[in-house]
Amino acid sequence: MDVLKKLSEYREKINDELERLLDEKIENAKKEYPGAADYLEWIRDYNMRGGKRLRPAFMVAAYEGVGGKEMDKIYKASASIELMEGYFLIHDDIMDQDDLRRGGPTLHVAYLDYYKKHFQGSEMRAKRFSEGMAIIAGDYVQSLAVEALLNSGFDQARIVEALKVYEYANQSTNFGQFLDMLSEEMKAEEVTEEHTMNIHKTKTSIYTIEAPLLMGWALGGGSEEQREAFSNYAIPLGQAFQLQDDILGMFGDVKKLGKPVGSDLRDGKKTILVIKALEKGSPEQKKKLLSLLGKLHITEQEIEEAKQIMRDTGALDYTRNKARELASEALEAIENVELAEEAKQYLIGIAEYLINREV
């Protein structure tokens, strides 16, 4: 199977549904809340800028895998998990104080520009206004996500089961963000591999893979065996995906990535690469790596020094091998369960793509 072609097919239909839903909300706002129509246009733009649509694609594939046939309904429902991502990203941009998202301004930055064009006030008032408006936007998108699931047309009992999974993902991701922000302030030597892998589980495995699969499973009326297999596939795959992301962030090809490597080091992130290098390194290597971790104006030469420490201590090999082991665990779980063949081949193929990708 050409898994990227299949993902593209999923993405086209998911985008059509997202566009229909958001356009409908804009038209309704023009009639009922005229002042809010522009606000919703910005939300529409933010959510339609791009993205692989991996999460809703996982949801649709799981639904097909357990024998679901009502494709119009599942595409309507799949908008919910993509809008959940939009809600998280809007709030995440504020917490990280990011200016750009998918090639465009983040919502709080867009509203900062809006404030300066239309109002006069202090920098503090402008910041409070812009971040407040973005928080409201995120909350609205969260509400819209739930509404998309409720209005999908599925049997009420199945919608309730899917909503339980949705809230499980919502709460798990919030816990993961809490742990992640906590680790940012902890000393590097205090952050353990277990702590970091738990962040990967809650922020990547559950929200990106397990929850979409289980929502599709719930709406398709799958078996308990299938549910267990989806979870056993999702958790290690999400962790492997994040480890591969960490490796690419330090050792990837700049031309393929389209961005400089070493940003995780500059941001002071305690990845498994860093944790293992500190654990296995000599006193000199530890001292050097700690001096570079979180260094705002780190040079290319210093990034190369950090990379060499990660190679020499075995941190790179450890991380790479752990990602492969987790990926094998995920593939074994999905290969041994009864699913519609095309959906199974997609899940196998997308797993292999995620762990072998170079971007």
Side-chain angles (χ1 to χ4, degrees), residues 223-301:
S223 68
E224 284 303 314
E225 181 186 8
Q226 290 167 330
R227 179 189 178 110
E228 184 177 353
F230 283 145
S231 292
N232 290 340
Y233 164 87
I235 300 303
L237 178 59
Q239 292 173 321
F241 170 85
Q242 192 57 57
L243 292 177
Q244 177 66 5
D245 207 50
D246 293 343
I247 292 170
L248 289 174
M250 277 300 295
F251 295 91
D253 186 317
V254 175
K255 292 181 180 178
K256 291 180 180 178
L257 289 174
K259 60 181 180 181
V261 297
S263 59
D264 284 352
L265 191 68
R266 185 181 300 108
D267 294 341
K269 292 187 178 179
K270 288 86 170 180
T271 64
I272 298 298
L273 288 166
V274 169
I275 291 169
K276 299 310 288 188
L278 292 174
E279 181 183 310
K280 302 293 185 181
S282 67
E284 293 77 14
Q285 288 172 321
K286 292 178 184 178
K287 183 178 179 180
K288 184 63 178 180
L289 187 56
L290 286 171
S291 74
L292 300 177
L293 188 64
K295 186 175 181 180
L296 186 60
H297 300 296
I298 192 169
T299 66
E300 289 187 17
Q301 177 59 38

Coordinates of all heavy atoms in Angstrom, one line a residue, residues 223-301:
S223 N -14.7 -4.9 18.8 CA -14.6 -5.9 19.9 C -13.6 -5.4 21.0 O -12.7 -4.5 20.8 CB -14.2 -7.2 19.4 OG -12.8 -7.2 18.9
E224 N -13.6 -6.1 22.2 CA -12.7 -5.8 23.2 C -11.2 -6.2 22.8 O -10.3 -5.5 23.2 CB -13.0 -6.5 24.5 CG -14.2 -5.9 25.2 CD -13.9 -4.4 25.6 OE1 -12.8 -4.1 26.1 OE2 -14.8 -3.5 25.4
E225 N -11.1 -7.2 22.0 CA -9.8 -7.6 21.5 C -9.2 -6.5 20.6 O -8.0 -6.2 20.7 CB -10.0 -8.9 20.7 CG -8.6 -9.5 20.2 CD -8.8 -10.7 19.3 OE1 -9.9 -11.0 18.9 OE2 -7.7 -11.2 18.9
Q226 N -10.1 -5.9 19.8 CA -9.6 -4.9 18.9 C -9.2 -3.6 19.7 O -8.2 -3.0 19.4 CB -10.7 -4.5 17.9 CG -10.9 -5.6 16.8 CD -12.1 -5.4 16.0 OE1 -13.1 -4.9 16.5 NE2 -12.1 -5.9 14.8
R227 N -10.0 -3.3 20.7 CA -9.7 -2.2 21.6 C -8.3 -2.4 22.2 O -7.5 -1.4 22.3 CB -10.7 -2.0 22.7 CG -10.4 -0.9 23.6 CD -11.4 -0.8 24.8 NE -11.0 0.3 25.7 CZ -11.7 1.4 25.9 NH1 -12.9 1.5 25.3 NH2 -11.3 2.4 26.7
E228 N -8.1 -3.5 22.8 CA -6.8 -3.8 23.4 C -5.6 -3.7 22.4 O -4.6 -3.2 22.8 CB -6.8 -5.2 24.1 CG -5.6 -5.6 24.8 CD -5.7 -6.9 25.5 OE1 -6.7 -7.6 25.5 OE2 -4.6 -7.4 26.1
A229 N -5.8 -4.2 21.2 CA -4.8 -4.2 20.2 C -4.5 -2.7 19.8 O -3.3 -2.4 19.6 CB -5.2 -5.0 19.0
F230 N -5.5 -1.9 19.7 CA -5.3 -0.5 19.3 C -4.5 0.2 20.4 O -3.5 1.0 20.1 CB -6.6 0.2 19.1 CG -7.3 -0.1 17.8 CD1 -8.7 -0.2 17.8 CD2 -6.6 -0.3 16.7 CE1 -9.4 -0.4 16.6 CE2 -7.2 -0.6 15.5 CZ -8.6 -0.6 15.4
S231 N -4.8 -0.1 21.7 CA -4.0 0.6 22.7 C -2.6 0.1 22.8 O -1.6 0.8 22.9 CB -4.7 0.3 24.1 OG -5.9 1.0 24.2
N232 N -2.4 -1.2 22.6 CA -1.0 -1.8 22.6 C -0.2 -1.4 21.4 O 1.0 -1.5 21.4 CB -1.1 -3.4 22.6 CG -1.7 -3.9 24.0 OD1 -1.6 -3.2 25.0 ND2 -2.2 -5.1 24.0
Y233 N -0.9 -1.0 20.3 CA -0.2 -0.4 19.2 C 0.1 1.0 19.4 O 1.3 1.5 19.1 CB -1.1 -0.6 18.0 CG -0.9 0.2 16.7 CD1 0.0 -0.2 15.7 CD2 -1.5 1.4 16.5 CE1 0.2 0.5 14.6 CE2 -1.3 2.2 15.3 CZ -0.5 1.7 14.4 OH -0.3 2.4 13.2
A234 N -0.8 1.8 19.9 CA -0.7 3.2 20.0 C 0.4 3.7 21.0 O 1.1 4.6 20.7 CB -2.1 3.8 20.4
I235 N 0.4 3.1 22.2 CA 1.3 3.7 23.3 C 2.7 3.6 22.9 O 3.5 4.6 22.9 CB 1.0 3.0 24.6 CG1 -0.5 3.2 25.1 CG2 2.0 3.5 25.7 CD1 -0.9 4.7 25.2
P236 N 3.2 2.4 22.5 CA 4.7 2.3 22.1 C 4.9 3.1 20.8 O 6.0 3.7 20.6 CB 4.9 0.8 21.9 CG 3.6 0.2 21.7 CD 2.6 1.0 22.5
L237 N 4.0 3.1 19.9 CA 4.2 3.8 18.6 C 4.4 5.3 18.9 O 5.2 6.0 18.3 CB 3.1 3.6 17.6 CG 3.2 4.3 16.3 CD1 4.5 4.0 15.6 CD2 2.0 4.0 15.4
G238 N 3.5 5.9 19.7 CA 3.6 7.3 20.0 C 4.9 7.6 20.7 O 5.5 8.7 20.4
Q239 N 5.4 6.8 21.6 CA 6.7 7.0 22.2 C 7.8 6.9 21.2 O 8.8 7.7 21.2 CB 6.9 6.0 23.4 CG 5.9 6.3 24.5 CD 5.9 5.2 25.6 OE1 6.1 4.1 25.3 NE2 5.8 5.7 26.8
A240 N 7.8 5.9 20.3 CA 8.8 5.7 19.3 C 8.8 7.0 18.4 O 9.9 7.4 18.0 CB 8.5 4.5 18.5
F241 N 7.6 7.4 18.0 CA 7.5 8.6 17.2 C 8.2 9.8 17.8 O 8.9 10.6 17.1 CB 6.0 8.9 16.9 CG 5.7 10.2 16.3 CD1 5.7 10.4 14.9 CD2 5.4 11.4 17.0 CE1 5.5 11.6 14.3 CE2 5.1 12.6 16.4 CZ 5.2 12.7 15.0
Q242 N 8.0 10.0 19.1 CA 8.6 11.2 19.8 C 10.1 11.0 19.9 O 10.8 12.0 19.7 CB 8.0 11.3 21.2 CG 8.3 12.7 21.8 CD 7.9 13.9 21.0 OE1 6.7 14.0 20.6 NE2 8.8 14.7 20.6
L243 N 10.6 9.8 20.1 CA 12.0 9.6 20.2 C 12.7 9.9 18.8 O 13.7 10.5 18.8 CB 12.3 8.1 20.6 CG 12.0 7.8 22.1 CD1 12.2 6.3 22.4 CD2 12.7 8.7 23.1
Q244 N 12.0 9.4 17.8 CA 12.5 9.7 16.4 C 12.5 11.2 16.2 O 13.4 11.8 15.5 CB 11.7 9.0 15.4 CG 12.0 9.3 13.9 CD 13.4 8.7 13.5 OE1 14.1 8.1 14.3 NE2 13.8 9.0 12.3
D245 N 11.5 11.9 16.7 CA 11.4 13.4 16.5 C 12.6 14.0 17.2 O 13.2 15.0 16.7 CB 10.1 13.8 17.1 CG 9.6 15.1 16.5 OD1 9.6 15.2 15.2 OD2 9.3 16.1 17.2
D246 N 12.9 13.5 18.4 CA 14.1 14.0 19.2 C 15.4 13.8 18.4 O 16.2 14.7 18.4 CB 14.1 13.4 20.5 CG 13.0 13.7 21.4 OD1 12.3 14.7 21.1 OD2 12.7 13.0 22.4
I247 N 15.5 12.6 17.8 CA 16.7 12.3 17.1 C 16.8 13.3 15.9 O 17.9 13.9 15.6 CB 16.7 10.9 16.6 CG1 16.9 9.9 17.8 CG2 17.9 10.6 15.6 CD1 16.7 8.5 17.5
L248 N 15.8 13.4 15.1 CA 15.8 14.3 14.0 C 16.1 15.8 14.4 O 16.7 16.5 13.7 CB 14.4 14.3 13.2 CG 14.1 13.0 12.5 CD1 12.7 13.0 11.9 CD2 15.1 12.8 11.3
G249 N 15.6 16.2 15.5 CA 15.8 17.5 16.0 C 17.3 17.8 16.3 O 17.7 19.0 16.3
M250 N 18.1 16.8 16.5 CA 19.5 17.0 16.8 C 20.4 16.5 15.6 O 21.4 17.1 15.3 CB 19.9 16.2 18.0 CG 19.7 16.9 19.3 SD 20.5 18.5 19.5 CE 22.2 18.0 19.5
F251 N 19.9 15.4 15.0 CA 20.8 14.8 14.0 C 20.2 14.8 12.5 O 20.8 14.2 11.6 CB 21.1 13.4 14.4 CG 21.9 13.3 15.6 CD1 21.3 13.2 16.9 CD2 23.3 13.3 15.6 CE1 22.0 13.1 18.0 CE2 24.1 13.2 16.8 CZ 23.4 13.1 18.0
G252 N 19.0 15.4 12.4 CA 18.4 15.4 11.0 C 19.1 16.3 10.0 O 20.0 17.1 10.3
D253 N 18.7 16.1 8.8 CA 19.3 16.8 7.6 C 18.6 18.2 7.6 O 17.3 18.2 7.4 CB 19.0 16.0 6.3 CG 19.7 16.7 5.1 OD1 19.6 17.9 5.0 OD2 20.3 16.0 4.3
V254 N 19.3 19.2 7.7 CA 18.7 20.6 7.7 C 17.9 20.8 6.5 O 16.8 21.4 6.5 CB 19.8 21.7 7.8 CG1 19.2 23.0 7.7 CG2 20.5 21.5 9.2
K255 N 18.4 20.4 5.3 CA 17.7 20.6 4.0 C 16.4 19.9 4.0 O 15.4 20.4 3.5 CB 18.6 20.2 2.9 CG 19.8 21.1 2.7 CD 20.6 20.6 1.5 CE 21.9 21.5 1.3 NZ 22.7 21.1 0.2
K256 N 16.3 18.7 4.5 CA 15.1 17.9 4.5 C 14.1 18.4 5.6 O 12.9 18.5 5.4 CB 15.4 16.4 4.8 CG 16.1 15.8 3.6 CD 16.4 14.3 3.9 CE 17.1 13.6 2.7 NZ 17.4 12.2 3.0
L257 N 14.7 18.8 6.7 CA 13.8 19.3 7.8 C 13.2 20.7 7.5 O 12.1 21.0 8.0 CB 14.6 19.4 9.1 CG 15.0 18.1 9.8 CD1 15.9 18.4 11.0 CD2 13.8 17.3 10.2
G258 N 14.0 21.5 6.8 CA 13.5 22.9 6.5 C 13.7 23.8 7.7 O 13.1 24.9 7.7
K259 N 14.4 23.4 8.7 CA 14.7 24.2 9.9 C 16.0 23.8 10.5 O 16.5 22.7 10.3 CB 13.5 24.1 10.9 CG 13.3 22.7 11.4 CD 12.2 22.6 12.4 CE 12.0 21.2 12.9 NZ 10.9 21.1 13.9
P260 N 16.6 24.6 11.3 CA 17.9 24.3 11.9 C 17.8 23.2 12.9 O 16.8 23.1 13.6 CB 18.4 25.6 12.5 CG 17.2 26.4 12.7 CD 16.2 26.0 11.6
V261 N 18.8 22.4 13.0 CA 18.8 21.4 14.1 C 19.3 22.0 15.4 O 19.9 23.1 15.4 CB 19.7 20.2 13.7 CG1 19.2 19.4 12.5 CG2 21.2 20.6 13.5
G262 N 19.1 21.3 16.5 CA 19.6 21.8 17.8 C 18.7 22.7 18.5 O 19.0 23.2 19.6
S263 N 17.4 22.9 18.0 CA 16.5 23.8 18.7 C 16.1 23.3 20.1 O 15.9 24.0 21.0 CB 15.3 24.1 17.9 OG 14.6 22.9 17.5
D264 N 16.0 21.9 20.2 CA 15.6 21.3 21.5 C 16.7 21.6 22.5 O 16.4 21.9 23.7 CB 15.5 19.8 21.3 CG 14.2 19.4 20.7 OD1 13.3 20.3 20.4 OD2 14.0 18.2 20.3
L265 N 18.0 21.6 22.1 CA 19.1 21.9 23.0 C 19.1 23.3 23.4 O 19.2 23.6 24.6 CB 20.4 21.6 22.2 CG 21.7 21.6 23.1 CD1 21.7 20.4 24.1 CD2 22.9 21.5 22.2
R266 N 18.8 24.2 22.4 CA 18.7 25.6 22.7 C 17.6 25.9 23.7 O 17.7 26.8 24.5 CB 18.5 26.4 21.4 CG 18.5 27.9 21.5 CD 18.3 28.5 20.1 NE 19.3 28.2 19.2 CZ 19.1 27.4 18.1 NH1 17.9 26.8 17.9 NH2 20.1 27.1 17.3
D267 N 16.5 25.2 23.5 CA 15.3 25.4 24.4 C 15.4 24.7 25.7 O 14.6 24.9 26.6 CB 14.0 24.9 23.7 CG 13.7 25.7 22.4 OD1 14.2 26.9 22.3 OD2 12.9 25.2 21.6
G268 N 16.5 24.0 25.9 CA 16.7 23.3 27.2 C 15.9 22.1 27.5 O 15.7 21.7 28.6
K269 N 15.4 21.5 26.4 CA 14.6 20.3 26.6 C 15.4 19.1 27.0 O 16.4 18.8 26.5 CB 13.8 20.0 25.3 CG 12.8 21.0 24.9 CD 12.0 20.6 23.7 CE 10.9 21.7 23.4 NZ 10.1 21.3 22.2
K270 N 14.8 18.4 28.0 CA 15.5 17.2 28.6 C 15.0 16.0 27.9 O 14.2 15.2 28.4 CB 15.3 17.1 30.1 CG 16.0 18.1 30.9 CD 15.2 19.4 31.1 CE 15.8 20.4 32.1 NZ 15.0 21.6 32.2
T271 N 15.5 15.8 26.6 CA 15.1 14.6 25.8 C 15.9 13.4 26.4 O 16.8 13.5 27.2 CB 15.5 14.8 24.4 OG1 16.9 15.0 24.3 CG2 14.9 16.1 23.8
I272 N 15.5 12.2 25.9 CA 16.2 11.0 26.3 C 17.7 11.1 25.8 O 18.5 10.6 26.5 CB 15.5 9.8 25.7 CG1 14.1 9.6 26.2 CG2 16.3 8.5 26.0 CD1 14.0 9.4 27.7
L273 N 17.9 11.7 24.7 CA 19.3 11.9 24.3 C 20.1 12.6 25.4 O 21.3 12.3 25.7 CB 19.3 12.8 23.0 CG 18.9 12.1 21.7 CD1 18.6 13.1 20.6 CD2 19.9 11.0 21.2
V274 N 19.6 13.7 25.9 CA 20.2 14.5 27.0 C 20.3 13.6 28.2 O 21.4 13.6 28.9 CB 19.5 15.8 27.2 CG1 20.0 16.5 28.5 CG2 19.6 16.7 26.0
I275 N 19.2 13.0 28.6 CA 19.2 12.3 29.9 C 20.2 11.1 29.9 O 21.0 11.0 30.8 CB 17.8 11.7 30.1 CG1 16.8 12.8 30.4 CG2 17.8 10.7 31.3 CD1 15.4 12.4 30.4
K276 N 20.3 10.4 28.8 CA 21.3 9.3 28.7 C 22.7 9.8 28.6 O 23.6 9.2 29.2 CB 20.9 8.4 27.6 CG 19.6 7.7 27.6 CD 19.3 7.1 29.0 CE 20.0 5.8 29.2 NZ 19.6 5.1 30.5
A277 N 22.9 10.9 27.9 CA 24.3 11.4 27.8 C 24.8 11.9 29.2 O 25.9 11.7 29.5 CB 24.3 12.6 26.8
L278 N 23.9 12.5 30.0 CA 24.3 12.9 31.3 C 24.5 11.7 32.2 O 25.4 11.7 33.1 CB 23.2 13.8 31.9 CG 23.1 15.2 31.3 CD1 21.9 16.0 31.9 CD2 24.3 16.0 31.4
E279 N 23.7 10.7 32.0 CA 23.8 9.5 32.8 C 25.1 8.7 32.6 O 25.8 8.2 33.5 CB 22.6 8.6 32.5 CG 22.5 7.3 33.3 CD 21.4 6.4 32.9 OE1 20.2 6.9 32.9 OE2 21.6 5.2 32.6
K280 N 25.5 8.6 31.3 CA 26.7 7.8 30.9 C 28.0 8.6 30.7 O 29.0 8.0 30.5 CB 26.3 7.1 29.6 CG 25.1 6.2 29.6 CD 25.3 5.0 30.5 CE 24.1 4.0 30.5 NZ 24.3 2.9 31.4
G281 N 27.9 9.9 30.6 CA 29.0 10.8 30.3 C 30.0 10.9 31.4 O 29.7 10.7 32.6
S282 N 31.2 11.3 31.0 CA 32.3 11.6 32.0 C 32.0 12.9 32.7 O 31.1 13.7 32.2 CB 33.6 11.7 31.3 OG 33.6 12.8 30.4
P283 N 32.6 13.2 33.8 CA 32.4 14.5 34.4 C 32.6 15.7 33.4 O 31.8 16.7 33.5 CB 33.4 14.6 35.5 CG 33.6 13.1 35.9 CD 33.5 12.4 34.6
E284 N 33.6 15.6 32.6 CA 33.8 16.7 31.6 C 32.7 16.8 30.6 O 32.3 17.9 30.2 CB 35.2 16.4 30.9 CG 36.4 16.6 31.8 CD 36.6 15.3 32.7 OE1 36.0 14.3 32.4 OE2 37.4 15.4 33.6
Q285 N 32.2 15.6 30.1 CA 31.2 15.6 29.1 C 29.9 16.2 29.7 O 29.1 16.9 29.1 CB 30.9 14.2 28.6 CG 32.0 13.7 27.7 CD 31.9 12.2 27.3 OE1 31.5 11.4 28.2 NE2 32.2 11.9 26.1
K286 N 29.6 15.8 31.0 CA 28.4 16.3 31.6 C 28.4 17.8 31.8 O 27.5 18.5 31.5 CB 28.2 15.6 33.0 CG 27.9 14.2 33.0 CD 27.9 13.6 34.4 CE 27.6 12.1 34.5 NZ 27.6 11.6 35.8
K287 N 29.6 18.3 32.3 CA 29.8 19.7 32.5 C 29.6 20.5 31.2 O 28.9 21.5 31.1 CB 31.2 20.0 33.0 CG 31.4 21.5 33.3 CD 32.8 21.7 34.0 CE 33.0 23.2 34.2 NZ 34.4 23.4 34.8
K288 N 30.1 20.0 30.1 CA 30.0 20.6 28.8 C 28.6 20.6 28.3 O 28.1 21.7 27.9 CB 30.9 19.9 27.8 CG 30.9 20.6 26.4 CD 31.5 22.0 26.4 CE 31.5 22.6 25.1 NZ 32.1 24.0 25.2
L289 N 27.9 19.5 28.4 CA 26.5 19.4 27.9 C 25.6 20.3 28.7 O 24.7 21.0 28.1 CB 26.1 17.9 28.0 CG 24.7 17.6 27.3 CD1 24.7 18.1 25.9 CD2 24.4 16.1 27.5
L290 N 25.8 20.3 30.0 CA 25.0 21.2 30.9 C 25.2 22.7 30.5 O 24.2 23.5 30.6 CB 25.3 20.9 32.3 CG 24.7 19.6 32.9 CD1 25.3 19.4 34.3 CD2 23.2 19.6 32.9
S291 N 26.4 23.0 30.1 CA 26.7 24.4 29.8 C 26.0 24.8 28.5 O 25.7 26.0 28.3 CB 28.2 24.6 29.7 OG 28.7 24.1 28.5
L292 N 25.7 23.8 27.6 CA 25.1 24.1 26.4 C 23.5 24.0 26.4 O 22.8 24.6 25.6 CB 25.6 23.1 25.3 CG 27.1 23.2 25.0 CD1 27.5 22.2 24.0 CD2 27.5 24.6 24.6
L293 N 23.1 23.2 27.4 CA 21.6 23.0 27.5 C 20.9 24.3 27.9 O 21.1 24.8 28.9 CB 21.3 21.9 28.5 CG 19.9 21.4 28.6 CD1 19.5 20.7 27.3 CD2 19.8 20.4 29.8
G294 N 20.0 24.8 27.0 CA 19.3 26.0 27.3 C 20.1 27.3 26.9 O 19.6 28.4 27.2
K295 N 21.2 27.1 26.2 CA 22.0 28.3 25.8 C 21.3 29.0 24.6 O 21.2 28.4 23.6 CB 23.4 27.9 25.5 CG 24.3 29.1 25.2 CD 25.8 28.6 25.0 CE 26.7 29.8 24.7 NZ 28.1 29.5 24.5
L296 N 20.9 30.2 24.8 CA 20.1 30.9 23.9 C 20.8 31.1 22.5 O 20.3 30.9 21.5 CB 19.6 32.2 24.4 CG 18.6 33.0 23.6 CD1 17.3 32.2 23.3 CD2 18.2 34.4 24.2
H297 N 22.0 31.6 22.6 CA 22.8 31.9 21.4 C 23.9 30.8 21.1 O 25.0 31.2 20.8 CB 23.4 33.3 21.6 CG 22.5 34.4 21.8 ND1 21.5 34.7 20.9 CD2 22.2 35.2 22.9 CE1 20.8 35.7 21.3 NE2 21.1 36.0 22.6
I298 N 23.5 29.6 21.2 CA 24.4 28.5 20.9 C 24.8 28.5 19.5 O 24.1 28.8 18.6 CB 23.7 27.2 21.3 CG1 24.7 26.0 21.3 CG2 22.5 26.8 20.3 CD1 24.1 24.7 21.9
T299 N 26.1 28.2 19.3 CA 26.6 28.2 17.9 C 26.5 26.9 17.3 O 26.3 25.8 17.9 CB 28.1 28.6 17.9 OG1 28.9 27.6 18.6 CG2 28.3 30.0 18.7
E300 N 26.7 26.8 16.0 CA 26.7 25.5 15.2 C 27.8 24.6 15.7 O 27.6 23.4 15.9 CB 26.9 25.8 13.7 CG 25.6 26.4 13.1 CD 25.8 26.5 11.6 OE1 26.6 25.8 11.0 OE2 25.0 27.2 10.9
Q301 N 29.0 25.2 16.0 CA 30.1 24.4 16.6 C 29.7 23.8 17.9 O 30.0 22.6 18.2 CB 31.3 25.3 16.7 CG 32.5 24.6 17.3 CD 33.0 23.4 16.5 OE1 32.9 23.4 15.3 NE2 33.4 22.3 17.2

